[in-house]
Structure formats: structure tokens, C-alpha cells
Amino acid sequence: MKRVGNLFEIAFSHENLYLAFLDARRGKRKTKACFNFETNLGMNLNNIYNELHSDTYQPRPYQPRPYRTFTVYEPKERLIYVPHFRDTVVQHAIYRVIYPIFDRTFIATSFACRKGGGTHKASAYTQKVLRACQDDSYTLKLDIRKFFYSINRNILKKLIEKKIKDHRFISVMMAFSSMDKPVGIPIGNLLSQIYALVDLNPVDHFIKRELKIKRYVRYVDDFILIGIARPQCLEFRKTIIEFVRDKLCLRLSKSTIQKVKKGLNFVGFRTWKTKRFIRKFSLYKFKREVSRKNVPAIISLLGHAKRTNSLPYMIRILKELKDDFKIPKGYRSIYNAYPA
């Protein structure tokens, strides 16, 4: 396998650091951290450049100021680590270089954190595959137990080294994977997204190449084998459990085996051959945000429900309002397309 070298100088050039700043700034121009960094942009970028090239750079978590953390509870409880803006710039500089290197090694039906991917693409592909299967065939759905908190960093580094031979560059990369625990990577770092893809990439290729599964889809740590017989589901589940345990030191959280005609609950959608709905919890959230008149949240959930059978029901909820609540301009045509 061909390995790529000389990435340190490419990723941490003055030009790429500036482009990385532009990427990091996107959507954050109103934040204090971005404003302060941009106020002295030349000096800050030059300081990062000098630290990197003198091998003295360390992400702020290793300095007196640690990550800022907070906890989210939907859809499940997770601790989020927020890096300092200067470290976000460095991560973007790394990401700009490594994304194309690793992306071409991923299978086409791994949809998370990839350009042209996303939950809508994953759900649409899943429905397309379900339509191609017999109703009495089966699906095998699996996910990894506490995936981000369980990633073995030594194994991750070896997987990265299979494609990159610049050890100085890898050293900076792996600094963003560290935590105060023996295993796991922090949720919240930009690079954690591609690390997650890299870590489970062997599973994708094992299922596609060794198990010869044609209809397969993955989104982060949720993956589904579709249109197989029940005995195969039982056999493949055992084989996959052994593979992720022995090769990646990971454990499966749960698995579901059911007939194709019963559909799938995947990437926020309940999907059958002929229809697709958002999850019940998302409908509950929509009702809650409508009662609060939280326009950004309403728009987000309407976008999530686009091209699903849940959308007419959500529009009716909006039409039941008796006050002066106004539908945003971009959604008025959808709103008017459904009768009250």
C-alpha cells in the first residue's frame, strides 16, 4: 500500500494555515474567540507556524487552559470537548491535507462526516436497498458500544500510519486524539470525525470483501447488512463481533435482526420500502419548539423531515396556531402546499 509523506510542510505552510483559518472561521465570526484571533491574525498565525516548526506546539488541553466541556442529552448523554480556536485552526490545516488521502479508501456507503454524505443520503440509500430486497429476507443492524470513548488510540495510530509515513506530522495529529483515559478520543474535535471513519474502515472492508455483503450501509458506528437470510444474520453477527473485538478492541452494544418488511430505524428516520418518517422523539421536539416559537429549531426539524411522510403532519401542527406566527420565507411554498 502506497504511503504519503512530506505532509508536515504542506499542512503547516503559511498559506495552508491561512486557508485553515478561513475554514475555522466559517459560521463563527460572531464568537469572541474568533474575533480575538482575527484581531491579531498575522501574529497568531505566525506564532502557530513557529511553534509547529520548532516542535514546541501543543494543543491547549496540555497547557494551563483545558478543553471547555459541556454535556448534551439528546439523543443520548454525551460529554462534548470544545477546543480553543487556535487549535481548531491547526485541526483544519491537518484536515485539509488528510481528508482526500483517507476519503478515497472509504467505501461508498459510509455516509457520516463526508462530503456529499449525511443522514439524508444514508436514509435514501437505505430505502433504495430495501426496495430491492424480498420482504421475507432479513436485516442485521449493529452498533459499537460507547464508540468514541472506546477507540484504541494505538490501533488508530497504526491505521493512520498505513497511509501516512510522516512521523512528525502524525505526532501533531495524534495530539488531538489524547484524553485523560487509556482509551477514547474527545467528541468535539474536528479530527475526531475522520478518526472515527478511519477506525471502522477495516470493518467496512471486512464486511464487503470477506463476507461478500452487497447491500451494506454505515453511519458512524451504526451499520446494517440488508437482504440476507436469518441463518446468515446469526453467523455474520458472531463473525463481526469477533472481528471488532480482536482487530479493533471494540465491543458491540446491541444488534437487531428483523425482516425487511418491518423496515429500519436508522439515522433519525423510520424507513420502509414505500414510506419514511422521522422518529417519534423528533416529532415530540417539533411540537415543543412550536409551542416555544423557536423558529431556528422549527426550521431545522422541517429540513430534517423533508421528503418524509411526517412533513404533512408537521405542517398541520403549524397551521393550528391561532396567533401571528410567521413561516420563514424559504418554507412558505411547502407550508402552502398542504391544506389546513
Side-chain angles (χ1 to χ4, degrees):
M1 182 181 295
K2 185 177 180 180
R3 299 165 71 211
V4 183
N6 302 317
L7 294 182
F8 188 93
E9 296 295 334
I10 297 171
F12 303 134
S13 66
H14 285 294
E15 179 184 6
N16 197 58
L17 285 172
Y18 175 69
L19 294 174
F21 159 72
L22 297 180
D23 291 340
R25 186 182 67 174
R26 191 173 294 118
K28 297 181 180 179
R29 298 196 70 169
K30 295 182 179 180
T31 64
K32 182 178 179 181
C34 180
F35 176 81
N36 289 340
F37 190 92
E38 190 169 10
T39 299
N40 297 292
L41 179 60
M43 181 188 72
N44 286 323
L45 289 179
N46 197 54
N47 286 342
I48 291 174
Y49 177 90
N50 289 335
E51 289 176 27
L52 286 164
H53 285 262
S54 63
D55 297 321
T56 59
Y57 171 82
Q58 285 187 316
R60 283 293 179 87
Y62 296 96
Q63 299 179 16
R65 298 175 61 190
Y67 283 110
R68 180 171 64 86
T69 61
F70 64 92
T71 303
V72 297
Y73 298 93
E74 297 177 2
K76 57 185 177 182
E77 184 175 344
R78 291 177 298 172
L79 181 63
I80 307 299
Y81 295 80
V82 182
H84 289 270
F85 188 81
R86 76 192 304 267
D87 298 328
T88 301
V89 171
V90 176
Q91 289 189 63
H92 274 282
I94 296 170
Y95 189 87
R96 289 174 56 83
V97 171
I98 67 171
Y99 178 84
I101 294 172
F102 286 103
D103 186 65
R104 55 178 171 257
T105 71
F106 302 148
I107 64 170
T109 56
S110 174
F111 289 96
C113 308
R114 297 179 68 186
K115 296 173 183 177
T119 57
H120 286 274
K121 289 288 183 66
S123 181
Y125 172 80
T126 301
Q127 187 172 51
K128 176 183 176 181
V129 170
L130 287 174
R131 288 171 177 166
C133 298
Q134 297 293 326
D135 283 345
D136 58 353
S137 62
Y138 284 80
T139 62
L140 170 61
K141 181 183 176 184
L142 310 131
D143 66 57
I144 304 297
R145 183 179 184 273
K146 296 184 177 180
F147 174 51
F148 281 90
Y149 303 116
S150 302
I151 290 176
N152 185 300
R153 295 191 291 271
N154 291 327
I155 293 175
L156 173 63
K157 184 179 180 182
K158 290 178 182 178
L159 291 172
I160 291 172
E161 288 173 339
K162 287 184 177 181
K163 292 299 297 180
I164 298 174
K165 60 183 177 181
D166 188 330
H167 295 293
R168 190 182 182 196
F169 180 71
I170 291 175
S171 178
V172 180
M173 282 183 64
M174 295 307 297
F176 292 102
S177 70
S178 296
M179 296 180 69
D180 56 358
K181 298 178 181 179
V183 296
I185 61 175
I187 301 175
N189 274 337
L190 170 68
L191 291 178
S192 292
Q193 299 176 8
I194 198 164
Y195 291 163
L197 291 173
V198 170
D199 197 60
L200 283 186
N201 194 39
V203 178
D204 294 339
H205 289 280
F206 174 73
I207 292 173
K208 294 288 288 183
R209 295 182 180 184
E210 301 297 326
L211 302 185
K212 307 295 184 182
I213 301 300
K214 294 182 179 179
R215 301 181 178 102
Y216 169 75
V217 58
R218 179 165 72 86
Y219 197 91
V220 192
D221 62 324
D222 290 329
F223 45 108
I224 309 175
L225 292 68
I226 305 173
I228 56 181
R230 181 172 175 80
Q232 287 181 307
C233 289
L234 298 173
E235 178 187 350
F236 291 157
R237 179 174 62 184
K238 179 176 181 295
T239 304
I240 294 169
I241 287 174
E242 292 173 352
F243 183 88
V244 299
R245 180 194 65 206
D246 297 341
K247 301 296 184 180
L248 302 175
C249 295
L250 298 171
R251 289 193 296 162
L252 289 182
S253 171
K254 56 185 177 181
S255 64
T256 304
I257 299 174
Q258 62 185 32
K259 287 187 175 181
V260 163
K261 65 181 181 181
K262 291 189 176 181
L264 285 165
N265 191 339
F266 181 55
V267 293
F269 299 94
R270 296 172 292 149
T271 304
W272 290 265
K273 285 186 175 183
T274 58
K275 55 191 175 183
R276 187 157 47 122
F277 297 90
I278 63 175
R279 288 175 177 167
K280 292 180 180 179
F281 181 72
S282 296
L283 287 175
Y284 162 76
K285 284 173 60 180
F286 181 76
K287 292 178 181 178
R288 183 185 66 192
E289 302 307 334
V290 167
S291 66
R292 296 174 177 176
K293 299 185 179 65
N294 186 343
V295 175
I298 292 171
I299 293 174
S300 175
L301 288 163
L302 285 173
H304 176 56
K306 192 176 182 181
R307 300 188 184 92
T308 73
N309 299 79
S310 299
L311 190 58
Y313 173 71
M314 297 165 75
I315 294 298
R316 285 198 297 272
I317 292 175
L318 290 178
K319 286 181 176 287
E320 289 173 0
L321 294 177
K322 303 299 182 182
D323 52 28
D324 59 350
F325 180 80
K326 294 182 179 180
I327 297 296
K329 184 176 180 180
Y331 285 82
R332 287 174 192 167
S333 59
I334 300 175
Y335 181 82
N336 295 328
Y338 296 95

